[in-house]
Amino acid sequence: MKYVFCGKSGLQLPKISLGLWHNFGYTDDFEEARNMIIHAFDQGITHIDIANNYGPPPGSAESNFGKILKENLASHRDEMIISSKAGYLMWDGPYGNGSSRKYLMASLNQSLKRTGLDYFDIFYSHRYDSTTPIEETMQALIDMVKQGKALYVGLSNYPPDKAREAMAYLNAQHVPSLIYQGKYSMFNRQPEEEILSVTKEFGSGFIAFSPLAQGVLTDKYLHGIPEQSRAADPAGFLKKEQVTEELVGKVRKLNEIARQRGQSMAEMAVAWTLRDERVTSVIVGTRNVKQLQDNLGSLNNLSFTQEELTLIDNILGGATL
Protein backbone atom coordinates (compact mmCIF):
# COMPACT_ATOMS: atom_id res chain seq x y z
CA MET A 1 0.00 0.00 0.00
CA LYS A 2 1.10 3.55 -0.74
CA TYR A 3 0.35 6.28 1.82
CA VAL A 4 0.04 10.01 1.12
CA PHE A 5 -0.06 13.03 3.44
CA CYS A 6 -3.57 14.47 3.49
CA GLY A 7 -3.33 18.09 2.38
CA LYS A 8 -1.02 20.08 4.62
CA SER A 9 -1.66 17.86 7.63
CA GLY A 10 0.63 15.29 9.19
CA LEU A 11 -1.94 12.52 8.64
CA GLN A 12 -1.22 9.92 5.98
CA LEU A 13 -4.03 8.09 4.21
CA PRO A 14 -3.76 4.99 2.03
CA LYS A 15 -4.14 5.59 -1.69
CA ILE A 16 -7.14 3.25 -1.57
CA SER A 17 -9.74 3.43 1.20
CA LEU A 18 -12.74 1.17 1.83
CA GLY A 19 -16.24 2.65 1.85
CA LEU A 20 -19.25 1.01 3.49
CA TRP A 21 -21.95 2.82 1.47
CA HIS A 22 -23.22 -0.43 -0.04
CA ASN A 23 -22.98 -4.13 0.95
CA PHE A 24 -22.42 -3.68 4.69
CA GLY A 25 -25.98 -3.27 6.01
CA TYR A 26 -28.32 -5.71 7.72
CA THR A 27 -29.71 -6.86 4.36
CA ASP A 28 -26.24 -7.91 3.19
CA ASP A 29 -24.00 -10.91 3.89
CA PHE A 30 -22.40 -10.16 7.26
CA GLU A 31 -19.61 -12.72 6.93
CA GLU A 32 -18.64 -11.35 3.52
CA ALA A 33 -18.61 -7.86 5.03
CA ARG A 34 -16.36 -9.12 7.82
CA ASN A 35 -14.03 -10.78 5.32
CA MET A 36 -13.78 -7.61 3.21
CA ILE A 37 -12.93 -5.38 6.18
CA ILE A 38 -10.33 -7.79 7.56
CA HIS A 39 -8.80 -8.35 4.12
CA ALA A 40 -8.70 -4.61 3.50
CA PHE A 41 -6.83 -4.00 6.75
CA ASP A 42 -4.44 -6.88 6.06
CA GLN A 43 -3.64 -5.28 2.69
CA GLY A 44 -2.84 -1.91 4.25
CA ILE A 45 -6.20 -0.19 3.79
CA THR A 46 -6.14 1.61 7.11
CA HIS A 47 -9.00 4.00 6.28
CA ILE A 48 -12.64 2.89 6.60
CA ASP A 49 -15.32 5.39 5.52
CA ILE A 50 -18.89 5.22 6.85
CA ALA A 51 -21.87 7.56 7.33
CA ASN A 52 -24.77 7.53 9.75
CA ASN A 53 -27.31 6.62 7.07
CA TYR A 54 -25.37 3.82 5.35
CA GLY A 55 -27.17 0.48 5.29
CA PRO A 56 -29.86 -0.43 4.57
CA PRO A 57 -31.47 0.19 6.97
CA PRO A 58 -29.82 3.48 7.98
CA GLY A 59 -27.31 2.97 10.78
CA SER A 60 -26.76 -0.71 10.10
CA ALA A 61 -23.41 -0.30 8.34
CA GLU A 62 -22.06 1.46 11.42
CA SER A 63 -23.50 -1.22 13.71
CA ASN A 64 -22.05 -4.05 11.62
CA PHE A 65 -18.68 -2.32 11.45
CA GLY A 66 -18.72 -1.84 15.22
CA LYS A 67 -19.31 -5.53 15.74
CA ILE A 68 -16.50 -6.50 13.35
CA LEU A 69 -14.14 -4.01 14.95
CA LYS A 70 -14.89 -5.33 18.44
CA GLU A 71 -14.61 -9.00 17.49
CA ASN A 72 -11.69 -8.88 15.05
CA LEU A 73 -9.76 -5.62 15.04
CA ALA A 74 -10.14 -3.98 18.45
CA SER A 75 -6.44 -4.25 19.25
CA HIS A 76 -5.63 -2.41 16.01
CA ARG A 77 -7.80 0.68 16.65
CA ASP A 78 -4.81 3.04 16.76
CA GLU A 79 -3.65 1.74 13.37
CA MET A 80 -6.94 2.74 11.71
CA ILE A 81 -8.54 5.91 10.38
CA ILE A 82 -12.32 5.65 10.78
CA SER A 83 -14.59 8.36 9.41
CA SER A 84 -18.31 8.99 9.57
CA LYS A 85 -20.69 11.71 8.42
CA ALA A 86 -24.08 13.30 9.00
CA GLY A 87 -26.25 15.51 6.82
CA TYR A 88 -28.83 13.41 4.99
CA LEU A 89 -32.13 12.04 6.27
CA MET A 90 -31.62 9.72 9.22
CA TRP A 91 -34.86 9.84 11.22
CA ASP A 92 -38.29 11.46 10.90
CA GLY A 93 -39.10 14.89 12.27
CA PRO A 94 -37.37 18.27 12.11
CA TYR A 95 -34.14 17.15 13.81
CA GLY A 96 -33.23 14.08 11.73
CA ASN A 97 -31.95 15.77 8.59
CA GLY A 98 -29.87 18.75 7.48
CA SER A 99 -26.86 20.42 9.06
CA SER A 100 -28.09 22.06 12.25
CA ARG A 101 -26.02 21.80 15.40
CA LYS A 102 -28.83 19.77 16.97
CA TYR A 103 -28.82 17.16 14.22
CA LEU A 104 -25.05 16.92 13.83
CA MET A 105 -24.35 16.52 17.53
CA ALA A 106 -27.12 13.95 17.97
CA SER A 107 -25.90 12.04 14.92
CA LEU A 108 -22.30 12.05 16.14
CA ASN A 109 -23.28 10.59 19.50
CA GLN A 110 -25.51 7.97 17.88
CA SER A 111 -22.75 6.97 15.45
CA LEU A 112 -20.21 6.62 18.26
CA LYS A 113 -22.65 4.39 20.13
CA ARG A 114 -23.37 2.19 17.09
CA THR A 115 -19.69 1.71 16.28
CA GLY A 116 -18.59 1.38 19.91
CA LEU A 117 -15.93 4.05 19.37
CA ASP A 118 -14.81 6.79 21.74
CA TYR A 119 -14.02 9.11 18.82
CA PHE A 120 -13.91 9.29 15.03
CA ASP A 121 -10.67 10.11 13.30
CA ILE A 122 -12.61 12.19 10.77
CA PHE A 123 -16.18 13.47 11.00
CA TYR A 124 -17.78 15.11 7.96
CA SER A 125 -20.59 17.47 7.29
CA HIS A 126 -22.11 15.21 4.63
CA ARG A 127 -23.73 17.96 2.57
CA TYR A 128 -24.33 21.67 2.34
CA ASP A 129 -27.70 22.66 3.84
CA SER A 130 -29.01 25.99 2.58
CA THR A 131 -31.45 26.25 5.50
CA THR A 132 -28.67 26.31 8.10
CA PRO A 133 -26.03 29.04 8.37
CA ILE A 134 -22.59 27.71 7.47
CA GLU A 135 -21.25 29.22 10.68
CA GLU A 136 -23.60 27.04 12.76
CA THR A 137 -22.57 23.87 10.92
CA MET A 138 -18.86 24.63 11.07
CA GLN A 139 -18.99 25.58 14.74
CA ALA A 140 -20.60 22.22 15.48
CA LEU A 141 -17.68 20.49 13.72
CA ILE A 142 -15.18 22.60 15.64
CA ASP A 143 -16.82 21.73 18.95
CA MET A 144 -16.69 18.01 18.11
CA VAL A 145 -12.91 18.33 17.93
CA LYS A 146 -12.77 20.36 21.14
CA GLN A 147 -14.88 17.70 22.89
CA GLY A 148 -12.47 14.97 21.76
CA LYS A 149 -15.15 13.17 19.74
CA ALA A 150 -13.40 13.81 16.41
CA LEU A 151 -9.71 14.28 15.67
CA TYR A 152 -10.28 15.98 12.31
CA VAL A 153 -13.25 17.34 10.37
CA GLY A 154 -14.12 17.38 6.69
CA LEU A 155 -16.69 18.43 4.12
CA SER A 156 -18.55 16.35 1.56
CA ASN A 157 -20.73 17.29 -1.42
CA TYR A 158 -20.46 21.06 -0.83
CA PRO A 159 -20.66 23.37 -3.87
CA PRO A 160 -17.22 24.94 -4.41
CA ASP A 161 -18.27 28.45 -3.30
CA LYS A 162 -19.81 27.12 -0.09
CA ALA A 163 -16.82 24.86 0.52
CA ARG A 164 -14.57 27.91 0.25
CA GLU A 165 -16.72 29.79 2.76
CA ALA A 166 -16.76 26.84 5.16
CA MET A 167 -13.02 26.22 4.91
CA ALA A 168 -12.29 29.90 5.55
CA TYR A 169 -14.39 29.78 8.75
CA LEU A 170 -12.69 26.60 9.94
CA ASN A 171 -9.23 28.01 9.24
CA ALA A 172 -10.04 31.17 11.20
CA GLN A 173 -10.96 28.99 14.19
CA HIS A 174 -7.74 26.92 13.86
CA VAL A 175 -9.62 23.71 13.10
CA PRO A 176 -9.00 23.40 9.35
CA SER A 177 -10.87 21.09 7.04
CA LEU A 178 -8.61 18.05 6.79
CA ILE A 179 -10.31 16.69 3.69
CA TYR A 180 -13.06 17.14 1.13
CA GLN A 181 -14.98 14.10 -0.13
CA GLY A 182 -16.54 14.26 -3.57
CA LYS A 183 -17.74 12.09 -6.44
CA TYR A 184 -15.04 11.78 -9.07
CA SER A 185 -14.54 9.40 -11.98
CA MET A 186 -13.98 9.33 -15.73
CA PHE A 187 -17.73 9.94 -16.07
CA ASN A 188 -17.84 12.70 -13.44
CA ARG A 189 -15.03 15.21 -13.88
CA GLN A 190 -16.76 18.12 -12.19
CA PRO A 191 -14.18 18.33 -9.34
CA GLU A 192 -11.55 19.33 -11.91
CA GLU A 193 -13.51 22.49 -12.69
CA GLU A 194 -13.13 24.13 -9.27
CA ILE A 195 -13.19 22.10 -6.05
CA LEU A 196 -9.70 20.63 -6.52
CA SER A 197 -8.25 24.13 -6.74
CA VAL A 198 -10.19 25.10 -3.60
CA THR A 199 -8.83 22.15 -1.62
CA LYS A 200 -5.31 22.95 -2.74
CA GLU A 201 -5.73 26.62 -1.78
CA PHE A 202 -6.85 25.73 1.75
CA GLY A 203 -4.42 22.86 2.25
CA SER A 204 -7.18 20.27 2.39
CA GLY A 205 -6.93 16.76 1.00
CA PHE A 206 -9.41 15.39 -1.51
CA ILE A 207 -10.84 11.88 -1.38
CA ALA A 208 -12.89 10.57 -4.30
CA PHE A 209 -15.90 8.28 -4.07
CA SER A 210 -17.59 6.30 -6.87
CA PRO A 211 -14.39 6.08 -8.97
CA LEU A 212 -16.00 3.22 -10.91
CA ALA A 213 -19.26 5.12 -11.51
CA GLN A 214 -21.10 2.49 -9.45
CA GLY A 215 -19.64 -0.34 -11.50
CA VAL A 216 -20.14 1.06 -14.99
CA LEU A 217 -16.37 1.60 -15.34
CA THR A 218 -15.71 -2.12 -15.03
CA ASP A 219 -16.23 -5.03 -17.40
CA LYS A 220 -19.50 -5.86 -15.61
CA TYR A 221 -21.87 -4.25 -18.13
CA LEU A 222 -20.00 -4.94 -21.37
CA HIS A 223 -22.45 -7.71 -22.32
CA GLY A 224 -25.66 -6.56 -20.66
CA ILE A 225 -26.92 -5.97 -17.13
CA PRO A 226 -26.16 -8.91 -14.77
CA GLU A 227 -28.76 -9.94 -12.20
CA GLN A 228 -26.39 -9.32 -9.28
CA SER A 229 -25.52 -5.72 -10.11
CA ARG A 230 -26.44 -2.25 -8.89
CA ALA A 231 -28.28 -1.43 -12.12
CA ALA A 232 -30.46 -4.52 -11.63
CA ASP A 233 -31.43 -3.45 -8.10
CA PRO A 234 -34.64 -1.36 -8.30
CA ALA A 235 -33.77 0.23 -4.94
CA GLY A 236 -30.27 1.21 -6.04
CA PHE A 237 -28.91 4.61 -7.05
CA LEU A 238 -27.85 3.37 -10.49
CA LYS A 239 -30.80 2.87 -12.85
CA LYS A 240 -30.98 0.49 -15.81
CA GLU A 241 -31.81 3.31 -18.18
CA GLN A 242 -28.55 5.09 -17.25
CA VAL A 243 -26.47 2.18 -18.59
CA THR A 244 -26.94 3.16 -22.22
CA GLU A 245 -25.37 1.45 -25.22
CA GLU A 246 -23.48 4.67 -25.98
CA LEU A 247 -21.94 4.68 -22.51
CA VAL A 248 -21.11 0.98 -22.64
CA GLY A 249 -19.54 1.51 -26.07
CA LYS A 250 -17.14 4.02 -24.51
CA VAL A 251 -16.29 1.57 -21.74
CA ARG A 252 -15.49 -1.10 -24.36
CA LYS A 253 -12.95 1.26 -25.96
CA LEU A 254 -11.53 2.21 -22.56
CA ASN A 255 -11.29 -1.46 -21.69
CA GLU A 256 -9.03 -1.98 -24.69
CA ILE A 257 -6.63 0.70 -23.38
CA ALA A 258 -6.70 -0.99 -19.97
CA ARG A 259 -5.87 -4.33 -21.58
CA GLN A 260 -2.89 -2.80 -23.34
CA ARG A 261 -1.73 -1.41 -19.97
CA GLY A 262 -2.00 -4.86 -18.40
CA GLN A 263 -4.93 -3.80 -16.23
CA SER A 264 -8.59 -4.58 -15.85
CA MET A 265 -11.05 -1.80 -16.64
CA ALA A 266 -11.67 -1.28 -12.91
CA GLU A 267 -7.95 -1.09 -12.14
CA MET A 268 -7.41 1.54 -14.81
CA ALA A 269 -10.41 3.59 -13.66
CA VAL A 270 -9.11 3.72 -10.09
CA ALA A 271 -5.58 4.52 -11.28
CA TRP A 272 -6.92 7.30 -13.54
CA THR A 273 -8.71 8.91 -10.59
CA LEU A 274 -5.43 8.91 -8.64
CA ARG A 275 -3.39 10.43 -11.49
CA ASP A 276 -3.92 13.98 -10.13
CA GLU A 277 -1.58 14.75 -7.21
CA ARG A 278 -4.38 16.75 -5.55
CA VAL A 279 -6.32 13.49 -5.04
CA THR A 280 -5.21 11.98 -1.74
CA SER A 281 -7.17 8.74 -1.81
CA VAL A 282 -9.97 6.89 -3.59
CA ILE A 283 -12.82 5.20 -1.75
CA VAL A 284 -13.79 1.88 -3.28
CA GLY A 285 -17.02 0.08 -2.52
CA THR A 286 -16.93 -3.65 -3.12
CA ARG A 287 -19.35 -6.56 -3.01
CA ASN A 288 -16.82 -9.26 -2.10
CA VAL A 289 -13.15 -9.89 -1.39
CA LYS A 290 -12.38 -10.64 -5.04
CA GLN A 291 -13.65 -7.23 -6.16
CA LEU A 292 -11.62 -5.60 -3.40
CA GLN A 293 -8.49 -7.42 -4.49
CA ASP A 294 -9.13 -6.41 -8.10
CA ASN A 295 -9.30 -2.75 -7.07
CA LEU A 296 -6.08 -3.08 -5.11
CA GLY A 297 -4.42 -4.25 -8.31
CA SER A 298 -4.64 -0.67 -9.62
CA LEU A 299 -1.67 0.21 -7.40
CA ASN A 300 0.59 -1.87 -9.63
CA ASN A 301 0.37 0.71 -12.43
CA LEU A 302 -0.58 4.28 -11.51
CA SER A 303 1.34 6.03 -14.30
CA PHE A 304 -0.18 7.20 -17.58
CA THR A 305 1.55 8.43 -20.70
CA GLN A 306 0.29 11.65 -22.25
CA GLU A 307 -0.81 9.62 -25.26
CA GLU A 308 -2.95 7.37 -23.04
CA LEU A 309 -4.55 10.36 -21.31
CA THR A 310 -5.34 11.98 -24.65
CA LEU A 311 -6.88 8.76 -25.98
CA ILE A 312 -9.00 8.44 -22.83
CA ASP A 313 -10.19 12.05 -23.11
CA ASN A 314 -11.14 11.52 -26.75
CA ILE A 315 -13.12 8.38 -25.92
CA LEU A 316 -14.93 10.03 -23.03
CA GLY A 317 -15.89 13.03 -25.12
CA GLY A 318 -17.45 14.77 -22.14
CA ALA A 319 -19.74 11.83 -21.30
CA THR A 320 -21.28 12.03 -17.82
CA LEU A 321 -23.10 9.71 -15.48
Side-chain angles (χ1 to χ4, degrees):
M1 179 57 64
K2 297 176 174 66
Y3 299 88
V4 182
F5 283 102
C6 188
K8 291 183 178 178
S9 78
L11 182 70
Q12 297 182 65
L13 293 182
K15 279 280 193 180
I16 293 180
S17 302
L18 180 64
L20 310 192
W21 182 16
H22 300 286
N23 306 316
F24 291 87
Y26 289 159
T27 61
D28 300 298
D29 185 333
F30 178 78
E31 287 308 315
E32 191 63 46
R34 186 202 304 272
N35 291 339
M36 282 190 281
I37 288 171
I38 293 173
H39 184 74
F41 183 73
D42 287 344
Q43 296 299 309
I45 297 180
T46 52
H47 178 29
I48 305 293
D49 181 76
I50 329 175
N52 62 345
N53 63 335
Y54 288 177
S60 59
E62 286 184 327
S63 295
N64 279 341
F65 174 74
K67 183 178 180 181
I68 293 164
L69 179 66
K70 181 179 180 180
E71 294 177 354
N72 301 100
L73 295 167
S75 62
H76 298 284
R77 171 65 182 97
D78 291 337
E79 302 169 61
M80 304 176 75
I81 303 297
I82 303 168
S83 62
S84 194
K85 322 175 193 70
Y88 290 103
L89 179 64
M90 187 61 190
W91 64 87
D92 293 334
Y95 315 119
N97 195 2
S99 300
S100 70
R101 180 182 181 88
K102 168 70 173 176
Y103 171 58
L104 292 181
M105 288 297 189
S107 291
L108 169 66
N109 290 326
Q110 289 180 18
S111 292
L112 289 172
K113 185 175 181 180
R114 280 190 291 267
T115 56
L117 296 170
D118 297 320
Y119 66 92
F120 285 107
D121 296 280
I122 307 168
F123 197 84
Y124 290 88
S125 172
H126 205 169
R127 69 177 177 99
Y128 169 66
D129 172 18
S130 63
T131 65
T132 303
I134 278 183
E135 294 82 1
E136 177 179 342
T137 303
M138 294 307 106
Q139 193 60 51
L141 295 181
I142 291 164
D143 291 344
M144 292 174 186
V145 173
K146 292 182 176 180
Q147 292 170 9
K149 294 180 178 180
L151 300 185
Y152 301 91
V153 297
L155 307 175
S156 181
N157 300 315
Y158 272 57
D161 60 330
K162 299 304 178 182
R164 182 185 296 277
E165 188 178 340
M167 289 180 184
Y169 185 94
L170 291 170
N171 276 9
Q173 300 300 316
H174 307 292
V175 183
S177 172
L178 172 79
I179 195 165
Y180 181 100
Q181 185 174 139
K183 184 184 288 187
Y184 183 43
S185 73
M186 289 178 173
F187 286 146
N188 187 337
R189 302 183 65 168
Q190 193 172 4
E192 296 171 8
E193 297 174 10
E194 193 169 352
I195 193 63
L196 284 171
S197 61
V198 173
T199 57
K200 184 175 182 179
E201 176 187 347
F202 284 90
S204 174
F206 179 92
I207 188 166
F209 70 89
S210 291
L212 303 181
Q214 297 199 66
V216 177
L217 286 166
T218 69
D219 60 7
K220 184 182 301 181
Y221 297 103
L222 295 183
H223 306 290
I225 297 177
E227 287 186 14
Q228 298 297 321
S229 66
R230 290 185 184 179
D233 183 356
F237 287 87
L238 180 66
K239 306 303 180 186
K240 279 186 177 182
E241 54 269 24
Q242 292 178 286
V243 187
T244 64
E245 181 55 37
E246 180 184 3
L247 213 60
V248 172
K250 291 180 182 294
V251 177
R252 289 193 184 102
K253 293 178 182 177
L254 293 169
N255 190 51
E256 180 57 28
I257 296 176
R259 188 189 64 77
Q260 293 171 9
R261 286 169 49 84
Q263 291 182 307
S264 68
M265 182 62 239
E267 288 171 346
M268 186 178 78
V270 171
W272 181 92
T273 307
L274 287 166
R275 81 199 186 288
D276 192 315
E277 64 179 10
R278 295 170 297 181
V279 177
T280 309
S281 180
V282 168
I283 298 171
V284 299
T286 57
R287 188 179 294 274
N288 50 53
V289 171
K290 183 183 182 303
Q291 283 187 2
L292 175 58
Q293 193 58 44
D294 288 345
N295 288 333
L296 282 164
S298 62
L299 297 173
N300 296 326
N301 186 5
L302 293 175
S303 299
F304 288 84
T305 66
Q306 187 55 52
E307 182 182 5
E308 287 173 333
L309 292 174
T310 300
L311 281 171
I312 289 170
D313 284 346
N314 290 339
I315 291 168
L316 292 173
T320 60
L321 177 62

